[in-house]
């Protein structure tokens, strides 16, 4: 028997502890091959020698111009290319900003949980296995669509995130940027036995030691290095937040910059963004810490430009990570006004509410002719002043607002941080409930997955399913619950 075949057989029967990247929690989820989505996701065969035994799926807008960017999007364990296509939000931005997306897929033929082999040097290093197959997909797509080889990016969730980091290390000459969501630092594990240890607590290495693992991926390479976004939920107990810290240390060291952020700001979904600039002042590494989010890809369903995706297993409602990642990479610069978009207005504040209205104000932006106001991602007004009152609202309901400056051509700039306005009165929402996790589930305000409790609607992780953990949940709107332990006013 050939060694490569033997190795794959061994991997199939190995312990599912390989990747707790969903192992215990997805026992009911299948790892079947997806059918091509009608008019959307399409399978490609014959893209190369395919040493990693992967499948290639792709999506591209019908009017894709030559010289457009290319994004590679890697699913997590037990997921499929179609899951990622359907829920991640990337097709929306492919249509909006004009680029092609390739969705590689591994299957149970490679790994019993359909995980990419981020822990296997035979799969995740330069010229080997799955990594080589993915790069062959890149080359095929570049030929097919005339994609700009200087603007090829890779992103992935969980095991796909671990493989993303490995690809950036092994092929910095191929990828201009990457985004690791709930994933692992490059070359954190080099054996299946070491994989679980990385997930719960990667080695305590110095930034230089982490950076050395990247530099060893393509010896002699001197740059430029990929620009890296790192997404992590603070309540992720599958791939622990320590991995995000290790990723930050790893890639800031590769860039030769410190671990103190150049700036920090707050984004929607209780997300804190920390930016690490290169020597020219341009962001090289960005971390996005999503407070209370568990293990998964951050999405935020809605019609606004900064809203995307749909909620499903391991697609969690908080913030559209695909939007912010695309902006970080500069994918939005192909849109009208995108090359020099107006900055986001600062100081967005709720100045008053009634039972049917919410009043807002913000600071002026130089060059703005008007402002676009978004309620829950949908534009509701374009005032020329820096104040707006939204009317016709429901009583006792929470609404999320953002605002963007609009230039003379009508193009909206960068969207501001969000604020929440809760109208007064009403009986259909706003109530507060303090109870044990067990009682919250029994009352229908939360649900369990893999031994943990998640609030209905917000999907915030509330901890273990037992009577020893107590939380306060606030309901607004009806059926949508958020953790409100620090204070809850009905």
């Amino acid at each position: 028997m050939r060694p490569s075949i033997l190795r794959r057989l061994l991997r199939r029967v190995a312990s599912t502890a390989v990747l707790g990247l969903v192992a215990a929690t997805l026992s009911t989820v299948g790892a079947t091959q997806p059918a091509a989505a009608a008019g959307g996701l399409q399978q490609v065969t014959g893209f190369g020698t395919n040493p990693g035994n992967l499948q290639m799926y792709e999506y591209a807008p019908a009017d894709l111009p030559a010289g457009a960017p290319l994004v590679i999007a890697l699913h997590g364990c037990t997921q499929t290319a179609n899951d990622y296509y359907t829920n991640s939000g990337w097709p929306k931005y492919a249509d909006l900003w004009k680029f092609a997306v390739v969705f590689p897929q591994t299957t149970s033929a490679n790994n019993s949980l359909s995980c990419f082999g981020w822990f296997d040097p035979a799969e995740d290093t330069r010229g080997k296995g799955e990594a080589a197959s993915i790069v062959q997909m890149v080359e095929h797509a570049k030929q097919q669509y005339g994609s700009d080889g200087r603007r090829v990016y890779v992103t992935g969730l969980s095991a796909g995130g671990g493989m993303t980091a490995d690809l950036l290390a092994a092929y910095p000459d191929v990828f201009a940027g990457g985004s690791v969501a709930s994933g692992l630092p490059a070359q954190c594990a080099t054996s299946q036995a070491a994989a679980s240890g990385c997930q719960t607590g990667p080695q305590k290495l110095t930034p230089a030691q982490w950076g050395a693992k990247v530099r060893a991926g393509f010896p002699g390479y001197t740059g430029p290095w990929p620009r890296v976004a790192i997404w992590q939920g603070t309540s992720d107990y599958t791939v622990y937040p320590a991995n995000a810290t290790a990723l930050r240390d790893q890639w800031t060291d590769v860039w030769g910059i410190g671990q103190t952020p150049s700036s920090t700001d707050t984004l929607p979904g209780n997300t804190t963004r920390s930016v690490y600039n290169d020597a020219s002042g341009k962001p090289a590494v960005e971390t996005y810490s999503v407070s209370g989010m568990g293990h998964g890809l951050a999405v935020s369903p809605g019609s606004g430009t900064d809203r995307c995706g749909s909620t499903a297993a391991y697609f969690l409602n908080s913030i559209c990570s695909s939007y912010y990642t695309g902006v970080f990479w500069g994918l939005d610069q192909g849109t009208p006004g995108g090359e020099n978009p107006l900055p986001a207005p600062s100081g967005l504040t709720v100045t008053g509410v009634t039972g049917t209205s919410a009043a807002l104000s913000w600071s002026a932006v130089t060059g703005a002719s008007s402002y676009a106001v978004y309620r829950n991602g949908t534009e509701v007004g374009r005032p020329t002043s820096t104040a707006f009152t939204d009317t016709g609202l429901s009583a006792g309901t929470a609404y999320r607002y953002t605002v963007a400056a609009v230039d003379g051509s009508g193009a909206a700039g960068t969207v501001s941080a969000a604020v929440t306005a809760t109208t007064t009165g009403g009986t259909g929402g706003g109530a507060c409930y303090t109870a044990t996790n067990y009682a919250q589930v029994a009352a229908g305000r939360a649900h369990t997955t893999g031994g943990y409790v998640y609030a209905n609607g917000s999907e915030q992780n509330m901890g273990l399913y037992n009577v020893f953990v107590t939380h306060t949940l606030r309901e607004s709107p009806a059926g949508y619950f958020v953790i409100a332990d620090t204070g809850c006013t009905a």
Side-chain angles (χ1 to χ4, degrees), residues 72 128 359 404:
I72 311 301
K128 300 290 183 65

Side-chain angles (χ1 to χ4, degrees), residues 17-418:
V18 156
L19 272 194
L21 294 168
V22 290
T25 57
L26 289 181
S27 58
T28 61
V29 181
T32 57
Q33 176 179 337
L41 190 67
Q42 302 295 328
Q43 185 171 10
V44 176
T45 59
F47 57 84
T49 58
N50 193 18
N53 189 37
L54 299 181
Q55 297 169 3
M56 177 180 178
Y57 291 82
E58 65 183 11
Y59 173 77
D63 54 349
L64 181 69
L70 175 65
V71 171
I72 311 301
L74 304 174
H75 63 77
C77 292
T78 78
Q79 294 179 330
T80 64
N82 196 46
D83 291 333
Y84 221 67
Y85 165 82
T86 301
N87 300 305
S88 68
W90 281 110
K92 170 177 178 174
Y93 298 110
D95 289 336
L96 179 63
W97 295 333
K98 305 307 177 189
F99 58 86
V101 190
V102 169
F103 296 88
Q105 178 175 285
T106 188
T107 67
S108 58
N110 283 6
N111 176 277
S112 60
L113 292 175
S114 296
C115 306
F116 287 103
W118 61 271
F119 49 85
D120 187 348
E123 301 294 347
D124 66 357
T125 53
R126 190 175 179 90
K128 300 290 183 65
E130 294 176 351
S133 288
I134 291 168
V135 171
Q136 288 180 356
M137 295 180 197
V138 170
E139 294 305 315
H140 185 279
K142 285 165 59 179
Q143 293 283 338
Q144 180 180 3
Y145 296 116
S147 304
D148 184 349
R150 300 166 300 175
R151 294 192 294 165
V152 179
Y153 305 91
V154 60
T155 181
L157 165 64
S158 197
M163 180 60 84
T164 292
D166 290 339
L167 284 166
L168 295 173
Y171 293 98
D173 53 331
V174 173
F175 299 104
S179 179
V180 181
S182 300
L184 301 300
Q187 298 302 316
C188 182
T190 55
S191 70
Q192 185 168 289
S196 293
C198 279
Q199 293 165 224
T200 57
Q203 305 168 61
K204 291 179 172 57
L205 303 181
T206 66
Q209 289 171 321
W210 280 118
K213 290 179 177 288
V214 171
R215 289 184 284 272
F218 186 14
Y221 182 75
T222 58
W225 292 103
R227 299 182 183 271
V228 183
I230 300 159
W231 289 85
Q232 180 70 48
T234 63
S235 298
D236 189 339
Y237 303 113
T238 299
V239 174
Y240 279 41
N243 286 281
T245 302
L247 277 159
R248 179 207 62 186
D249 290 353
Q250 183 171 65
W251 290 99
T252 52
D253 179 77
V254 168
W255 274 89
I257 55 182
Q259 285 73 56
T260 300
S262 306
S263 64
T264 301
D265 62 345
T266 301
L267 299 177
N270 297 316
T271 303
T272 299
R273 174 172 57 187
S274 298
V275 181
Y276 302 80
N277 290 338
D278 64 14
S280 69
K282 183 178 180 181
V285 177
E286 291 189 351
T287 64
Y288 298 79
S289 177
V290 187
S291 179
M293 191 180 82
H295 186 65
L297 184 73
V299 298
S300 181
S303 59
T305 301
D306 64 340
R307 307 293 293 276
C308 75
S310 55
T311 56
Y314 299 92
F315 294 94
L316 306 181
N317 188 4
S318 55
I319 180 175
C320 175
S321 58
S322 299
Y323 168 79
Y324 287 95
T325 294
V327 171
F328 170 58
W329 289 339
L331 297 179
D332 61 325
Q333 293 182 4
T335 58
E339 292 189 6
N340 294 291
L342 291 174
S346 60
L348 178 60
T349 304
V350 180
T351 58
V353 293
T354 68
T356 58
S357 68
L360 310 166
S361 69
W362 56 89
S363 299
V365 173
T366 302
S369 61
S370 62
Y371 298 88
V373 179
Y374 302 94
R375 180 213 306 144
N376 296 337
T378 300
E379 185 175 334
V380 292
R382 285 210 175 190
T384 56
S385 68
T386 57
F388 178 76
T389 299
D390 192 20
T391 59
L393 307 179
S394 298
T397 303
Y399 295 95
R400 176 177 170 274
Y401 290 94
T402 55
V403 63
V406 178
D407 64 21
S409 70
T414 305
V415 177
S416 72

